[in-house]
Amino acid sequence: MLDIAVEIGKIVEISGMKILVEVTENSKINKLQNNYGNSIFPISLNKLVFSKLPNNKKIIGRIIKISDKNLFKGNTLEHYDKNKYILEILLMGIYDEYINSFDTGINTFPLIGIKVYSLPEKLEKELFSKKTKNYLEIGNSFNNSSVTVKCDPDILFGKHLGVFGNTGTGKTCTIVSIIQGLKKGRLNVKDNNKNISPKIIIFDSNNEYENAFKGNNFKIRKISKEEIKLPHYYLSYTEYYKFLDASPGVQAPVLKEAIENLRKKTNEGKSFYFEKISNEIDEITKNRSKKDNDKIDEYMKNRWDGWMGTLLYRIERIVEDEVIFKILEYEPEKKNIIEKIMEDNENEIFIIEADFDKDELDIIVFLFSKILYKLKVENKDYKNIVLLFEEAHRYINEDDKNDYKLGSYYIERLAREGRKFGISLIISSQRPSELSKTIISQCNSYIIHRITNKNDLEVVSKIVGVSNKNLLDIVPVLEKQNALVLGEAFIIPEIVKIFDADPLPLSHDPEVIKSWRS
């Protein structure tokens, strides 16, 4: 990258947020490169340029197209205009050198005939240095490896972040690299107090994250399936109906009566043993089958047993499931896993073993989100919590909303309201098209790796927006470890090579041939 501003041409057309620039310097023609990310050339696709405004500020733009001027003329030699190229440039914002500030709002436009220059390295570095009291370095600009791209960690970790990309493109390594950066000298804080002690909860669906934080200055706690306690009695009546798929006509009223009776029998008023629901339902149906002489009408009892059979079967199936039953069942004097995490002031990263089946994840993630929301609302003095959902499309799925399942209501509520109570989300997924639209819309910042699926690209196109469509065209061909970053945490959208994670998570590509060798 050149340290000086190199004149490359003049503005010949202004149309909305785009300008056309004619390359006028013959000496620059041989330096034209129609490649992404070649940092030694002053003119190439995705390069940043600037022009001076009448008020002495600089308007910044990005080269999105390079054309031979002769394409617009006849094909004969007499019409051939040697060394004439047209650049299409998308205007991005205005840089005020006096106060060293970049603003994406544009209220002043350059004039026809004004010269356009390549962006000198010093100015480019200033542009990518978000002016906040704290900043976190996440990687290097794809166009210029000497330019470090920074973000605002208060927004990145304080609001919601979406990390999307095909499998094997580096999503997990990106998340790990960013978290590791908090303690690897890449975090700059205004008061120079770098004793950062985060609180990050990771739903680790593939057992990948533990290796990345061992011996890495982080205090981690691995939470096994056996340690997860999420008592069922936090569910409302309606949620019990959905969880047990109780039919509204007959089963739901009996289930509600059974729960009410069990709650009345306990001193605590709400907690009760899940395994006792079946017996309580049986008692209720016996009472409803009695004749005037207080004897049971066997015919009516058989009818009630038939009506309630499917519900009782579902309850029995849960009780017999050794994994899910131990998680949900009420255990007196035992704190749930969220209370333990929130009261743990020693550990910083909590890795939850979450390789459950989809049906199990439905109730686990729902209860986890609901209890976390409830406890954080009631205890605002707890530390801010970052909640990372890996493989999020498995349990934050748009198509499941109309199913009998509990769905993603409380995760969506965390997305809408969690920031007020110190809860932020990182949503990682290889299939953004399957995610809840509410969740995606509530993300303030995005890191997008290579995506090739048409449906997923349509979702990403709405995130990127029309003004950055040129960057969307690059997404399907991004190399591994490279990603498009955009949103509130970043000053401008850019392709970034994310810093290496060290140590790496256990998410490497399979070595099939090696495994087959004797």
Side-chain angles (χ1 to χ4, degrees):
M1 185 72 181
L2 299 172
D3 254 339
I4 58 172
V6 177
E7 181 184 334
I8 60 176
K10 66 178 181 180
I11 297 174
V12 294
E13 183 181 313
I14 302 173
S15 176
M17 297 302 292
K18 294 180 182 178
I19 61 174
L20 293 184
V21 174
E22 181 184 71
V23 178
T24 56
E25 296 296 307
N26 290 341
S27 61
K28 308 298 181 298
I29 298 303
N30 293 330
K31 294 181 180 178
L32 278 170
Q33 285 290 311
N34 201 13
N35 298 322
Y36 292 112
N38 198 326
S39 61
I40 65 171
F41 296 93
I43 303 173
S44 68
L45 286 180
N46 212 31
K47 283 289 186 180
L48 297 176
V49 297
F50 77 91
S51 183
K52 293 180 181 177
L53 295 171
N55 58 10
N56 257 345
K57 296 179 182 179
K58 292 181 173 68
I59 191 162
I60 308 295
R62 190 190 300 275
I63 299 174
I64 60 173
K65 189 175 182 181
I66 303 172
S67 303
D68 189 331
K69 191 176 180 183
N70 293 288
L71 290 174
F72 306 100
K73 296 185 177 182
N75 293 324
T76 62
L77 287 176
E78 60 186 276
H79 288 129
Y80 188 76
D81 194 357
K82 188 179 179 182
N83 294 338
K84 289 293 182 181
Y85 292 85
I86 294 292
L87 309 180
E88 187 174 325
I89 294 171
L90 178 69
L91 299 178
M92 302 181 65
I94 295 174
Y95 180 74
D96 189 333
E97 208 163 15
Y98 181 74
I99 60 174
N100 194 20
S101 175
F102 177 78
D103 186 357
T104 54
I106 296 177
N107 53 17
T108 307
F109 289 85
L111 304 175
I112 293 289
I114 292 295
K115 294 178 180 179
V116 175
Y117 302 86
S118 66
L119 208 65
E121 186 168 304
K122 182 180 178 182
L123 179 54
E124 190 169 359
K125 287 181 177 179
E126 289 289 338
L127 199 62
F128 283 104
S129 298
K130 194 168 178 67
K131 298 299 178 292
T132 57
K133 61 181 179 180
N134 306 322
Y135 66 80
L136 175 67
E137 299 174 347
I138 65 163
N140 294 322
S141 169
F142 183 55
N143 279 294
N144 183 0
S145 58
S146 64
V147 173
T148 301
V149 177
K150 303 168 184 175
C151 70
D152 186 339
D154 287 318
I155 294 175
L156 197 73
F157 293 110
K159 295 188 178 181
H160 306 314
L161 170 66
V163 182
F164 307 138
N166 290 355
T167 181
T169 55
K171 296 187 303 297
T172 304
C173 288
T174 288
I175 294 169
V176 166
S177 173
I178 290 172
I179 295 174
Q180 288 176 348
L182 295 172
K183 293 198 174 188
K184 278 198 168 185
R186 300 203 293 264
L187 176 67
N188 188 288
V189 293
K190 189 174 182 181
D191 56 9
N192 292 321
N193 177 15
K194 294 192 177 182
N195 295 323
I196 303 298
S197 181
K199 198 146 201 167
I200 301 172
I201 304 172
I202 300 174
F203 265 77
D204 191 358
S205 301
N206 299 312
N207 196 27
E208 296 176 328
Y209 283 89
E210 184 179 11
N211 188 70
F213 298 108
K214 279 184 176 179
N216 204 358
N217 300 322
F218 287 97
K219 297 175 182 176
I220 68 171
R221 178 182 170 191
K222 179 75 176 287
I223 299 171
S224 66
K225 290 181 178 180
E226 292 72 26
E227 294 179 81
I228 303 174
K229 298 297 176 187
L230 298 167
H232 65 89
Y233 56 76
Y234 277 92
L235 295 172
S236 67
Y237 290 121
T238 304
E239 289 160 1
Y240 274 111
Y241 305 157
K242 285 187 176 182
F243 175 45
L244 298 172
D245 195 18
S247 62
V250 179
Q251 294 178 352
V254 175
L255 177 60
K256 181 180 180 181
E257 185 178 342
I259 293 170
E260 286 176 341
N261 292 346
L262 289 169
R263 284 177 172 169
K264 289 175 184 176
K265 293 176 183 178
T266 63
N267 295 326
E268 297 179 33
K270 188 172 183 180
S271 56
F272 62 93
Y273 291 100
F274 184 88
E275 64 180 352
K276 291 186 177 181
I277 297 178
S278 295
N279 291 335
E280 193 63 35
I281 288 174
D282 191 52
E283 287 298 317
I284 292 170
T285 56
K286 282 180 180 177
N287 289 332
R288 293 189 178 187
S289 304
K290 287 182 178 179
K291 300 177 181 179
D292 294 339
N293 59 5
D294 218 27
K295 289 185 178 180
I296 293 176
D297 184 331
E298 292 298 332
Y299 172 74
M300 284 304 300
K301 184 64 174 68
N302 288 335
R303 292 194 70 182
W304 274 109
D305 289 344
W307 291 331
M308 305 305 294
T310 54
L311 175 61
L312 291 169
Y313 169 74
R314 284 188 287 271
I315 295 170
E316 181 183 355
R317 191 178 61 182
I318 292 168
V319 172
E320 291 175 350
D321 187 326
E322 293 184 2
V323 175
I324 199 70
F325 181 66
K326 288 180 180 179
I327 292 173
L328 300 181
E329 183 59 306
Y330 164 57
E331 294 188 49
E333 300 179 1
K334 272 198 174 183
K335 292 184 177 180
N336 64 62
I337 190 60
I338 300 167
E339 289 174 317
K340 290 182 178 180
I341 291 174
M342 293 175 74
E343 293 172 4
D344 186 336
N345 294 317
E346 180 181 352
N347 292 296
E348 299 167 320
I349 296 179
F350 301 84
I351 301 173
I352 298 176
E353 187 180 340
D355 57 333
F356 295 98
D357 293 335
K358 188 174 181 180
D359 288 343
E360 294 172 335
L361 279 171
D362 177 59
I363 180 63
I364 290 169
V365 173
F366 183 89
L367 270 172
F368 190 97
S369 303
K370 180 173 185 176
I371 297 171
L372 176 62
Y373 179 85
K374 182 178 184 296
L375 294 182
K376 201 70 171 68
V377 169
E378 295 172 353
N379 302 276
K380 295 181 182 178
D381 293 335
Y382 283 126
K383 272 186 179 181
N384 281 45
I385 291 173
V386 176
L387 186 55
L388 165 59
F389 289 116
E390 180 74 22
E391 301 288 354
H393 54 278
R394 293 180 60 199
Y395 42 89
I396 313 177
N397 198 297
E398 183 72 19
D399 293 337
D400 286 347
K401 284 187 174 181
N402 298 322
D403 207 340
Y404 71 88
K405 297 176 181 297
L406 289 164
S408 53
Y409 172 79
Y410 269 97
I411 303 179
E412 291 181 354
R413 191 165 185 181
L414 289 178
R416 291 192 303 266
E417 306 171 27
R419 289 172 293 176
K420 295 183 291 186
F421 307 108
I423 304 171
S424 54
L425 307 178
I426 298 177
I427 306 297
S428 176
S429 174
Q430 57 184 279
R431 296 306 310 272
S433 60
E434 296 181 6
L435 289 174
S436 158
K437 293 176 183 177
T438 300
I439 298 288
I440 292 180
S441 67
Q442 291 298 317
C443 289
N444 302 82
S445 306
Y446 302 90
I447 299 177
I448 302 170
H449 289 267
R450 182 174 68 250
I451 289 177
T452 54
N453 181 273
K454 180 183 176 182
N455 294 335
D456 296 325
L457 283 171
E458 287 177 359
V459 172
V460 171
S461 69
K462 295 175 183 177
I463 294 170
V464 173
V466 176
S467 60
N468 293 299
K469 187 181 180 300
N470 62 299
L471 294 174
L472 179 65
D473 294 337
I474 306 174
V475 168
V477 294
L478 283 172
E479 292 183 76
K480 189 174 182 177
Q481 199 177 346
N482 289 274
L484 169 61
V485 302
L486 70 158
E488 195 177 337
F490 309 97
I491 192 162
I492 60 173
E494 181 61 310
I495 305 295
V496 177
K497 183 174 183 181
I498 306 296
F499 287 133
D500 293 337
D502 183 23
L504 289 168
L506 295 176
S507 58
H508 52 272
D509 295 329
E511 296 179 332
V512 179
I513 300 302
K514 182 179 179 180
S515 73
W516 286 349
R517 291 169 61 186
S518 59

